[in-house]
Amino acid sequence: MEWSTEYAAETITLVLLVIMLFKMNWRSGTRPPVAATMFGIIIHFKRLHDFVLHHHRRHKTYRIPYPTFSYVVTTDPENVEHILRSNFANYIKGKPHHDIMEDLLGDGIFSIDGELWREQRKLASFEFSTKVLKDFSSVVFRENAVKLSKILLEKFRSKQTVEMQDGKHVVSEDILPDGFKVKKGDMVAYVPYSMGRMTYLWGSDAEEFRPERWLHNGIFQPESPFKFTAFQAGPRMCLGKDFAYIQMKIVAAVLIRFFKFELVQGMEVRYRPSLTLHMTEDGLNLRVMPRD
C-alpha cells in the first residue's frame, strides 16, 4: 500500500510537470499556430506525410509542441530561403542529429556542421564536376538503360506488372519572413511532400501530374530551389543534382523510346516513413508495352 501511494504520487508529479512544460510551450503570441501534437504524429505515423499535409492545407507554417521545444514545419518559400540561405548559420543539423546518424553516416557531409562540413563539401564537389559527370554518364548510364530495357521487354513477354520504385536546429531566437518567431532549441523543417501539393504554389492542379507546367513557350523553365526543394537549396544544395538529372534523362529517353507505360488500376500507392521516402513492398505497378 505504501509503495502504491508513493508510485501514484510520483506519477501525478510527472504528469503535472509534463502539463506545465506543454503549457509553457503552447503559448502562441507571434509564434506559429499549433496545428498538431506529438500524439497525433505517433498515432498517424504510417501516414505521417499526409497527416502533416492535412494541416498544411490550413497553415503555411505551423508548429507541433513538445514538452521542451516546438517542431516548426513550413511550406513558405520565403521561410525556406531564410532557413537554407539568408540565415544559414542559425539553422544547423545540430548534435542530436549527428548523434542519431553517427553510426550510419559518421562525420560525413550529411551529418555535420561548421568548418568540418565546409572542408568535406569542398572535397566532394570535385567528384561532381561537369567533366566527371559527362565522362561517367556516357558509359555507365547508357549501359544501365539498355539493361533495364531488356528487363522490361522480358516483363512484357511474360505479361507481368513491373514495380517501379531535413530538420534544422535553431541556434538562437529568430523571426521568419512570415513574421512567426522561433526560439533557441526549436526544430524547423520545410516539407517537400506538402510543398509539392500546395495550390498557392502550383495552382489549382497542384496534385495532377502535368509535366508541361515546367514549360513556358515551349522552353523548360526551372523553378526556384526554395519552391521546388527536392535537391535542397543554398550552401547545402545537393552536389549530385546534375548527376541525378543526367541519369534520369538518359534512362527516360531510352525507356520512352521503346516502351509505353500504363498504370495498373485499383492499386493504392503507399509509402514507408524512413530517412528517405520509400514505397512499400507493393510499389508502383505498371503494365509495359513495346512501341510499334
PDB file of all heavy atoms in Angstrom, residues 136-161:
ATOM      1  N   PHE A 136      31.474   9.885 -66.969  1.00  0.00           N
ATOM      2  CA  PHE A 136      30.905   8.720 -66.294  1.00  0.00           C
ATOM      3  C   PHE A 136      29.560   8.332 -66.903  1.00  0.00           C
ATOM      4  O   PHE A 136      29.307   7.169 -67.200  1.00  0.00           O
ATOM      5  CB  PHE A 136      30.729   9.022 -64.802  1.00  0.00           C
ATOM      6  CG  PHE A 136      30.251   7.844 -64.004  1.00  0.00           C
ATOM      7  CD1 PHE A 136      31.111   6.810 -63.693  1.00  0.00           C
ATOM      8  CD2 PHE A 136      28.939   7.781 -63.553  1.00  0.00           C
ATOM      9  CE1 PHE A 136      30.674   5.715 -62.945  1.00  0.00           C
ATOM     10  CE2 PHE A 136      28.489   6.705 -62.824  1.00  0.00           C
ATOM     11  CZ  PHE A 136      29.362   5.672 -62.516  1.00  0.00           C
ATOM     12  N   SER A 137      28.718   9.331 -67.114  1.00  0.00           N
ATOM     13  CA  SER A 137      27.363   9.033 -67.589  1.00  0.00           C
ATOM     14  C   SER A 137      27.351   8.486 -69.005  1.00  0.00           C
ATOM     15  O   SER A 137      26.492   7.677 -69.361  1.00  0.00           O
ATOM     16  CB  SER A 137      26.498  10.286 -67.528  1.00  0.00           C
ATOM     17  OG  SER A 137      26.975  11.267 -68.419  1.00  0.00           O
ATOM     18  N   SER A 138      28.299   8.913 -69.824  1.00  0.00           N
ATOM     19  CA  SER A 138      28.284   8.493 -71.223  1.00  0.00           C
ATOM     20  C   SER A 138      28.414   6.989 -71.382  1.00  0.00           C
ATOM     21  O   SER A 138      27.959   6.426 -72.365  1.00  0.00           O
ATOM     22  CB  SER A 138      29.430   9.184 -71.983  1.00  0.00           C
ATOM     23  OG  SER A 138      30.681   8.788 -71.455  1.00  0.00           O
ATOM     24  N   VAL A 139      29.025   6.330 -70.401  1.00  0.00           N
ATOM     25  CA  VAL A 139      29.206   4.881 -70.484  1.00  0.00           C
ATOM     26  C   VAL A 139      28.255   4.148 -69.544  1.00  0.00           C
ATOM     27  O   VAL A 139      27.420   3.345 -69.968  1.00  0.00           O
ATOM     28  CB  VAL A 139      30.661   4.486 -70.149  1.00  0.00           C
ATOM     29  CG1 VAL A 139      30.813   2.965 -70.198  1.00  0.00           C
ATOM     30  CG2 VAL A 139      31.618   5.153 -71.130  1.00  0.00           C
ATOM     31  N   VAL A 140      28.336   4.448 -68.257  1.00  0.00           N
ATOM     32  CA  VAL A 140      27.615   3.677 -67.244  1.00  0.00           C
ATOM     33  C   VAL A 140      26.109   3.788 -67.387  1.00  0.00           C
ATOM     34  O   VAL A 140      25.391   2.783 -67.417  1.00  0.00           O
ATOM     35  CB  VAL A 140      28.043   4.117 -65.823  1.00  0.00           C
ATOM     36  CG1 VAL A 140      27.222   3.381 -64.776  1.00  0.00           C
ATOM     37  CG2 VAL A 140      29.528   3.854 -65.620  1.00  0.00           C
ATOM     38  N   PHE A 141      25.587   5.015 -67.487  1.00  0.00           N
ATOM     39  CA  PHE A 141      24.141   5.185 -67.546  1.00  0.00           C
ATOM     40  C   PHE A 141      23.545   4.569 -68.799  1.00  0.00           C
ATOM     41  O   PHE A 141      22.474   3.983 -68.784  1.00  0.00           O
ATOM     42  CB  PHE A 141      23.774   6.663 -67.440  1.00  0.00           C
ATOM     43  CG  PHE A 141      24.004   7.248 -66.071  1.00  0.00           C
ATOM     44  CD1 PHE A 141      24.297   8.591 -65.910  1.00  0.00           C
ATOM     45  CD2 PHE A 141      23.937   6.448 -64.933  1.00  0.00           C
ATOM     46  CE1 PHE A 141      24.515   9.125 -64.651  1.00  0.00           C
ATOM     47  CE2 PHE A 141      24.145   6.973 -63.672  1.00  0.00           C
ATOM     48  CZ  PHE A 141      24.442   8.315 -63.533  1.00  0.00           C
ATOM     49  N   ARG A 142      24.234   4.703 -69.912  1.00  0.00           N
ATOM     50  CA  ARG A 142      23.703   4.146 -71.143  1.00  0.00           C
ATOM     51  C   ARG A 142      23.676   2.617 -71.086  1.00  0.00           C
ATOM     52  O   ARG A 142      22.730   1.979 -71.547  1.00  0.00           O
ATOM     53  CB  ARG A 142      24.524   4.635 -72.332  1.00  0.00           C
ATOM     54  CG  ARG A 142      24.253   6.105 -72.645  1.00  0.00           C
ATOM     55  CD  ARG A 142      25.160   6.665 -73.687  1.00  0.00           C
ATOM     56  NE  ARG A 142      24.929   8.102 -73.840  1.00  0.00           N
ATOM     57  CZ  ARG A 142      25.738   8.905 -74.514  1.00  0.00           C
ATOM     58  NH1 ARG A 142      26.812   8.431 -75.096  1.00  0.00           N
ATOM     59  NH2 ARG A 142      25.463  10.190 -74.604  1.00  0.00           N
ATOM     60  N   GLU A 143      24.723   2.036 -70.487  1.00  0.00           N
ATOM     61  CA  GLU A 143      24.725   0.580 -70.313  1.00  0.00           C
ATOM     62  C   GLU A 143      23.571   0.144 -69.431  1.00  0.00           C
ATOM     63  O   GLU A 143      22.870  -0.840 -69.728  1.00  0.00           O
ATOM     64  CB  GLU A 143      26.059   0.134 -69.726  1.00  0.00           C
ATOM     65  CG  GLU A 143      27.220   0.200 -70.727  1.00  0.00           C
ATOM     66  CD  GLU A 143      28.512  -0.246 -70.088  1.00  0.00           C
ATOM     67  OE1 GLU A 143      28.484  -0.596 -68.870  1.00  0.00           O
ATOM     68  OE2 GLU A 143      29.545  -0.242 -70.758  1.00  0.00           O
ATOM     69  N   ASN A 144      23.367   0.878 -68.331  1.00  0.00           N
ATOM     70  CA  ASN A 144      22.285   0.512 -67.414  1.00  0.00           C
ATOM     71  C   ASN A 144      20.923   0.688 -68.063  1.00  0.00           C
ATOM     72  O   ASN A 144      19.995  -0.092 -67.807  1.00  0.00           O
ATOM     73  CB  ASN A 144      22.356   1.374 -66.141  1.00  0.00           C
ATOM     74  CG  ASN A 144      23.508   0.953 -65.248  1.00  0.00           C
ATOM     75  OD1 ASN A 144      24.023  -0.143 -65.378  1.00  0.00           O
ATOM     76  ND2 ASN A 144      23.913   1.824 -64.367  1.00  0.00           N
ATOM     77  N   ALA A 145      20.773   1.718 -68.886  1.00  0.00           N
ATOM     78  CA  ALA A 145      19.498   1.938 -69.565  1.00  0.00           C
ATOM     79  C   ALA A 145      19.172   0.785 -70.506  1.00  0.00           C
ATOM     80  O   ALA A 145      18.023   0.341 -70.603  1.00  0.00           O
ATOM     81  CB  ALA A 145      19.551   3.249 -70.342  1.00  0.00           C
ATOM     82  N   VAL A 146      20.184   0.288 -71.194  1.00  0.00           N
ATOM     83  CA  VAL A 146      19.979  -0.855 -72.097  1.00  0.00           C
ATOM     84  C   VAL A 146      19.584  -2.096 -71.304  1.00  0.00           C
ATOM     85  O   VAL A 146      18.676  -2.837 -71.678  1.00  0.00           O
ATOM     86  CB  VAL A 146      21.261  -1.121 -72.921  1.00  0.00           C
ATOM     87  CG1 VAL A 146      21.128  -2.434 -73.686  1.00  0.00           C
ATOM     88  CG2 VAL A 146      21.519   0.031 -73.879  1.00  0.00           C
ATOM     89  N   LYS A 147      20.261  -2.323 -70.173  1.00  0.00           N
ATOM     90  CA  LYS A 147      19.928  -3.484 -69.330  1.00  0.00           C
ATOM     91  C   LYS A 147      18.492  -3.397 -68.839  1.00  0.00           C
ATOM     92  O   LYS A 147      17.761  -4.395 -68.828  1.00  0.00           O
ATOM     93  CB  LYS A 147      20.896  -3.554 -68.131  1.00  0.00           C
ATOM     94  CG  LYS A 147      22.325  -3.911 -68.509  1.00  0.00           C
ATOM     95  CD  LYS A 147      23.226  -3.874 -67.281  1.00  0.00           C
ATOM     96  CE  LYS A 147      24.668  -4.174 -67.658  1.00  0.00           C
ATOM     97  NZ  LYS A 147      25.575  -4.082 -66.495  1.00  0.00           N
ATOM     98  N   LEU A 148      18.076  -2.190 -68.427  1.00  0.00           N
ATOM     99  CA  LEU A 148      16.717  -2.015 -67.926  1.00  0.00           C
ATOM    100  C   LEU A 148      15.700  -2.250 -69.035  1.00  0.00           C
ATOM    101  O   LEU A 148      14.625  -2.817 -68.807  1.00  0.00           O
ATOM    102  CB  LEU A 148      16.546  -0.607 -67.338  1.00  0.00           C
ATOM    103  CG  LEU A 148      15.226  -0.292 -66.635  1.00  0.00           C
ATOM    104  CD1 LEU A 148      14.904  -1.349 -65.590  1.00  0.00           C
ATOM    105  CD2 LEU A 148      15.287   1.084 -66.001  1.00  0.00           C
ATOM    106  N   SER A 149      16.030  -1.837 -70.242  1.00  0.00           N
ATOM    107  CA  SER A 149      15.142  -2.080 -71.368  1.00  0.00           C
ATOM    108  C   SER A 149      14.914  -3.576 -71.572  1.00  0.00           C
ATOM    109  O   SER A 149      13.793  -4.027 -71.829  1.00  0.00           O
ATOM    110  CB  SER A 149      15.732  -1.472 -72.650  1.00  0.00           C
ATOM    111  OG  SER A 149      15.803  -0.072 -72.549  1.00  0.00           O
ATOM    112  N   LYS A 150      15.981  -4.347 -71.442  1.00  0.00           N
ATOM    113  CA  LYS A 150      15.873  -5.808 -71.617  1.00  0.00           C
ATOM    114  C   LYS A 150      14.968  -6.411 -70.533  1.00  0.00           C
ATOM    115  O   LYS A 150      14.164  -7.294 -70.805  1.00  0.00           O
ATOM    116  CB  LYS A 150      17.255  -6.451 -71.567  1.00  0.00           C
ATOM    117  CG  LYS A 150      18.152  -6.076 -72.736  1.00  0.00           C
ATOM    118  CD  LYS A 150      19.527  -6.708 -72.582  1.00  0.00           C
ATOM    119  CE  LYS A 150      20.434  -6.341 -73.751  1.00  0.00           C
ATOM    120  NZ  LYS A 150      21.793  -6.908 -73.596  1.00  0.00           N
ATOM    121  N   ILE A 151      15.105  -5.914 -69.312  1.00  0.00           N
ATOM    122  CA  ILE A 151      14.266  -6.405 -68.214  1.00  0.00           C
ATOM    123  C   ILE A 151      12.798  -6.111 -68.502  1.00  0.00           C
ATOM    124  O   ILE A 151      11.918  -6.958 -68.340  1.00  0.00           O
ATOM    125  CB  ILE A 151      14.691  -5.747 -66.880  1.00  0.00           C
ATOM    126  CG1 ILE A 151      16.096  -6.233 -66.488  1.00  0.00           C
ATOM    127  CG2 ILE A 151      13.687  -6.064 -65.771  1.00  0.00           C
ATOM    128  CD1 ILE A 151      16.676  -5.489 -65.302  1.00  0.00           C
ATOM    129  N   LEU A 152      12.526  -4.885 -68.958  1.00  0.00           N
ATOM    130  CA  LEU A 152      11.149  -4.506 -69.251  1.00  0.00           C
ATOM    131  C   LEU A 152      10.565  -5.334 -70.389  1.00  0.00           C
ATOM    132  O   LEU A 152       9.399  -5.729 -70.354  1.00  0.00           O
ATOM    133  CB  LEU A 152      11.094  -3.014 -69.608  1.00  0.00           C
ATOM    134  CG  LEU A 152      11.328  -2.051 -68.434  1.00  0.00           C
ATOM    135  CD1 LEU A 152      11.507  -0.639 -68.953  1.00  0.00           C
ATOM    136  CD2 LEU A 152      10.187  -2.115 -67.438  1.00  0.00           C
ATOM    137  N   LEU A 153      11.397  -5.594 -71.389  1.00  0.00           N
ATOM    138  CA  LEU A 153      10.919  -6.387 -72.516  1.00  0.00           C
ATOM    139  C   LEU A 153      10.542  -7.794 -72.076  1.00  0.00           C
ATOM    140  O   LEU A 153       9.520  -8.353 -72.491  1.00  0.00           O
ATOM    141  CB  LEU A 153      11.996  -6.453 -73.602  1.00  0.00           C
ATOM    142  CG  LEU A 153      11.563  -7.046 -74.951  1.00  0.00           C
ATOM    143  CD1 LEU A 153      10.403  -6.250 -75.516  1.00  0.00           C
ATOM    144  CD2 LEU A 153      12.729  -7.072 -75.904  1.00  0.00           C
ATOM    145  N   GLU A 154      11.347  -8.371 -71.190  1.00  0.00           N
ATOM    146  CA  GLU A 154      11.047  -9.715 -70.689  1.00  0.00           C
ATOM    147  C   GLU A 154       9.795  -9.692 -69.824  1.00  0.00           C
ATOM    148  O   GLU A 154       8.983 -10.625 -69.855  1.00  0.00           O
ATOM    149  CB  GLU A 154      12.237 -10.245 -69.882  1.00  0.00           C
ATOM    150  CG  GLU A 154      12.015 -11.607 -69.232  1.00  0.00           C
ATOM    151  CD  GLU A 154      11.723 -12.723 -70.236  1.00  0.00           C
ATOM    152  OE1 GLU A 154      11.974 -12.528 -71.442  1.00  0.00           O
ATOM    153  OE2 GLU A 154      11.242 -13.780 -69.815  1.00  0.00           O
ATOM    154  N   LYS A 155       9.614  -8.627 -69.063  1.00  0.00           N
ATOM    155  CA  LYS A 155       8.398  -8.487 -68.264  1.00  0.00           C
ATOM    156  C   LYS A 155       7.167  -8.437 -69.163  1.00  0.00           C
ATOM    157  O   LYS A 155       6.130  -9.009 -68.850  1.00  0.00           O
ATOM    158  CB  LYS A 155       8.461  -7.213 -67.404  1.00  0.00           C
ATOM    159  CG  LYS A 155       9.410  -7.318 -66.218  1.00  0.00           C
ATOM    160  CD  LYS A 155       8.828  -8.191 -65.133  1.00  0.00           C
ATOM    161  CE  LYS A 155       9.694  -8.159 -63.885  1.00  0.00           C
ATOM    162  NZ  LYS A 155       9.106  -8.985 -62.799  1.00  0.00           N
ATOM    163  N   PHE A 156       7.294  -7.737 -70.295  1.00  0.00           N
ATOM    164  CA  PHE A 156       6.170  -7.670 -71.226  1.00  0.00           C
ATOM    165  C   PHE A 156       5.883  -9.063 -71.801  1.00  0.00           C
ATOM    166  O   PHE A 156       4.735  -9.469 -71.939  1.00  0.00           O
ATOM    167  CB  PHE A 156       6.488  -6.687 -72.360  1.00  0.00           C
ATOM    168  CG  PHE A 156       5.501  -6.760 -73.484  1.00  0.00           C
ATOM    169  CD1 PHE A 156       4.233  -6.223 -73.339  1.00  0.00           C
ATOM    170  CD2 PHE A 156       5.836  -7.395 -74.673  1.00  0.00           C
ATOM    171  CE1 PHE A 156       3.316  -6.308 -74.376  1.00  0.00           C
ATOM    172  CE2 PHE A 156       4.921  -7.477 -75.704  1.00  0.00           C
ATOM    173  CZ  PHE A 156       3.665  -6.934 -75.562  1.00  0.00           C
ATOM    174  N   ARG A 157       6.961  -9.763 -72.159  1.00  0.00           N
ATOM    175  CA  ARG A 157       6.790 -11.091 -72.748  1.00  0.00           C
ATOM    176  C   ARG A 157       6.012 -12.006 -71.823  1.00  0.00           C
ATOM    177  O   ARG A 157       5.151 -12.782 -72.252  1.00  0.00           O
ATOM    178  CB  ARG A 157       8.159 -11.706 -73.047  1.00  0.00           C
ATOM    179  CG  ARG A 157       8.094 -13.054 -73.766  1.00  0.00           C
ATOM    180  CD  ARG A 157       9.427 -13.763 -73.713  1.00  0.00           C
ATOM    181  NE  ARG A 157       9.781 -14.107 -72.339  1.00  0.00           N
ATOM    182  CZ  ARG A 157       9.270 -15.151 -71.681  1.00  0.00           C
ATOM    183  NH1 ARG A 157       8.356 -15.912 -72.248  1.00  0.00           N
ATOM    184  NH2 ARG A 157       9.644 -15.411 -70.460  1.00  0.00           N
ATOM    185  N   SER A 158       6.275 -11.928 -70.534  1.00  0.00           N
ATOM    186  CA  SER A 158       5.612 -12.802 -69.572  1.00  0.00           C
ATOM    187  C   SER A 158       4.334 -12.189 -69.011  1.00  0.00           C
ATOM    188  O   SER A 158       3.716 -12.733 -68.105  1.00  0.00           O
ATOM    189  CB  SER A 158       6.571 -13.129 -68.416  1.00  0.00           C
ATOM    190  OG  SER A 158       6.996 -11.940 -67.778  1.00  0.00           O
ATOM    191  N   LYS A 159       3.967 -10.981 -69.551  1.00  0.00           N
ATOM    192  CA  LYS A 159       2.719 -10.294 -69.158  1.00  0.00           C
ATOM    193  C   LYS A 159       2.630 -10.049 -67.652  1.00  0.00           C
ATOM    194  O   LYS A 159       1.586 -10.200 -67.034  1.00  0.00           O
ATOM    195  CB  LYS A 159       1.492 -11.080 -69.636  1.00  0.00           C
ATOM    196  CG  LYS A 159       1.363 -11.108 -71.158  1.00  0.00           C
ATOM    197  CD  LYS A 159       0.105 -11.827 -71.572  1.00  0.00           C
ATOM    198  CE  LYS A 159      -0.144 -11.684 -73.062  1.00  0.00           C
ATOM    199  NZ  LYS A 159       0.950 -12.156 -73.890  1.00  0.00           N
ATOM    200  N   GLN A 160       3.749  -9.690 -67.039  1.00  0.00           N
ATOM    201  CA  GLN A 160       3.758  -9.346 -65.619  1.00  0.00           C
ATOM    202  C   GLN A 160       3.666  -7.827 -65.474  1.00  0.00           C
ATOM    203  O   GLN A 160       3.909  -7.077 -66.410  1.00  0.00           O
ATOM    204  CB  GLN A 160       5.060  -9.827 -64.971  1.00  0.00           C
ATOM    205  CG  GLN A 160       5.237 -11.339 -65.018  1.00  0.00           C
ATOM    206  CD  GLN A 160       6.550 -11.740 -64.387  1.00  0.00           C
ATOM    207  OE1 GLN A 160       7.036 -11.100 -63.473  1.00  0.00           O
ATOM    208  NE2 GLN A 160       7.132 -12.806 -64.893  1.00  0.00           N
ATOM    209  N   THR A 161       3.318  -7.388 -64.273  1.00  0.00           N
ATOM    210  CA  THR A 161       3.382  -5.963 -63.985  1.00  0.00           C
ATOM    211  C   THR A 161       4.773  -5.653 -63.446  1.00  0.00           C
ATOM    212  O   THR A 161       5.475  -6.530 -62.935  1.00  0.00           O
ATOM    213  CB  THR A 161       2.328  -5.553 -62.932  1.00  0.00           C
ATOM    214  OG1 THR A 161       2.527  -6.317 -61.747  1.00  0.00           O
ATOM    215  CG2 THR A 161       0.929  -5.782 -63.473  1.00  0.00           C
TER     216      THR A 161
END
